[in-house]
Amino acid sequence: GAVVSQHPSWVICKSGTSVKIECRSLDFQATTMFWYRQFPKQSLMLMATSNEGSKATYEQGVEKDKFLINHASLTLSTLTVTSAHPEDSSFYICSARGTNQPQHFGDGTRLSIL
Amino acid sequence: QKEVEQNSGPLSVPEGAIASLNCTYSDRGSQSFFWYRQYSGKSPELIMSIYSNGDKEDGRFTAQLNKASQYVSLLIRDSQPSDSATYLCAVSMNTGFQKLVFGTGTRLLVSP
């Protein structure tokens, strides 16, 4: 149980492109989803928290206009990196949790901006 | 001071030995504690959660929590080469499993 699917697993695109990443909870209703970013040899840094039907709460220093988050249903959240640049290249990971449950992580999306 | 601190390692142990991973946290109000395993290039996988002082055992894994000392540890018995990974300690301020703060992780190497 508690399977979280993240798609795509790998994206390579040109600078200036917008990239959408999907995160789905396959066998449970995710009341809250989280988006993290992880640079090489560093730990996970929380970018934002989203609750179904509500606006996402962004961590300090994360630009909400650059990283658009939509949590339209209890099983789907999307992260759109708008006008991506090489410094946005990173490993993006989503997690989801049901009510009073631990977070379970998706497989991550490796984003490379050329 | 970092909120959650771990020794980056690598911690090297021979196959069959006990691996001991440690984590300290700064916020005394922390309520929930988790250990995640992360293989290189992969996302974290939940191994153990612990919420009250003492030990919690699950198979070869034992989590230990000491809130007075703000210390949580993970013991891996009968270590296997497949246990080689980075182990992330994560702490939450409340029992509602909201925002997690992660340590930088300890890299464990189990040699055959």
Side-chain angles (χ1 to χ4, degrees):
Chain A
V3 177
V4 178
S5 172
Q6 190 172 338
H7 178 81
S9 57
W10 195 291
V11 179
I12 302 175
C13 58
K14 294 181 179 180
S15 184
T17 305
S18 291
V19 178
K20 179 184 283 189
I21 303 170
E22 290 188 351
C23 181
R24 294 180 184 272
S25 57
L26 298 185
D27 55 357
F28 67 100
Q29 293 189 325
T31 50
T32 308
M33 286 186 169
F34 304 84
W35 288 95
Y36 294 84
R37 182 167 51 182
Q38 186 177 35
F39 291 106
K41 299 189 185 301
Q42 295 186 24
S43 191
L44 280 74
M45 296 301 296
L46 180 65
M47 299 175 67
T49 303
S50 73
N51 293 294
E52 185 263 340
S54 303
K55 288 185 178 180
T57 302
Y58 289 81
E59 294 298 302
Q60 189 174 8
V62 178
E63 299 175 58
K64 62 179 181 180
D65 294 331
K66 181 165 185 65
F67 299 100
L68 302 178
I69 292 172
N70 183 282
H71 191 164
S73 76
L74 283 171
T75 59
L76 173 64
S77 176
T78 60
L79 167 68
T80 301
V81 183
T82 61
S83 187
H85 291 284
E87 59 267 26
D88 298 321
S89 298
S90 188
F91 189 42
Y92 291 86
I93 311 172
C94 75
S95 73
R97 68 170 190 91
T99 302
N100 292 326
Q101 294 297 316
Q103 293 184 33
H104 292 275
F105 287 83
D107 289 335
T109 297
R110 194 160 301 281
L111 176 62
S112 295
I113 308 298
L114 304 177
Chain B
Q1 181 187 5
K2 293 181 181 178
E3 293 183 67
V4 179
E5 293 205 50
Q6 295 180 256
N7 188 314
S8 62
L11 172 65
S12 296
V13 300
E15 183 175 359
I18 295 175
S20 178
L21 304 164
N22 304 315
C23 172
T24 58
Y25 58 95
S26 60
D27 196 322
R28 194 170 285 278
S30 300
Q31 297 287 334
S32 306
F33 307 86
F34 305 89
W35 283 99
Y36 286 85
R37 177 176 62 197
Q38 186 176 26
Y39 292 111
S40 181
K42 303 295 184 181
S43 64
E45 172 192 9
L46 180 66
I47 294 179
M48 293 283 288
S49 58
I50 187 166
Y51 314 111
S52 54
N53 282 326
D55 295 359
K56 179 181 178 182
E57 185 176 320
D58 184 0
R60 295 187 296 114
F61 300 98
T62 299
Q64 299 174 317
L65 175 62
N66 184 325
K67 288 188 177 180
S69 300
Q70 296 175 237
Y71 175 94
V72 58
S73 65
L74 179 70
L75 300 178
I76 306 175
R77 289 181 298 281
D78 188 24
S79 295
Q80 301 297 310
S82 59
D83 295 327
S84 298
T86 296
Y87 289 79
L88 301 171
C89 172
V91 175
S92 175
M93 278 293 294
N94 53 51
T95 55
F97 306 101
Q98 288 286 354
K99 175 179 173 180
L100 289 178
V101 179
F102 283 85
T104 53
T106 297
R107 187 173 169 219
L108 173 65
L109 297 176
V110 182
S111 54

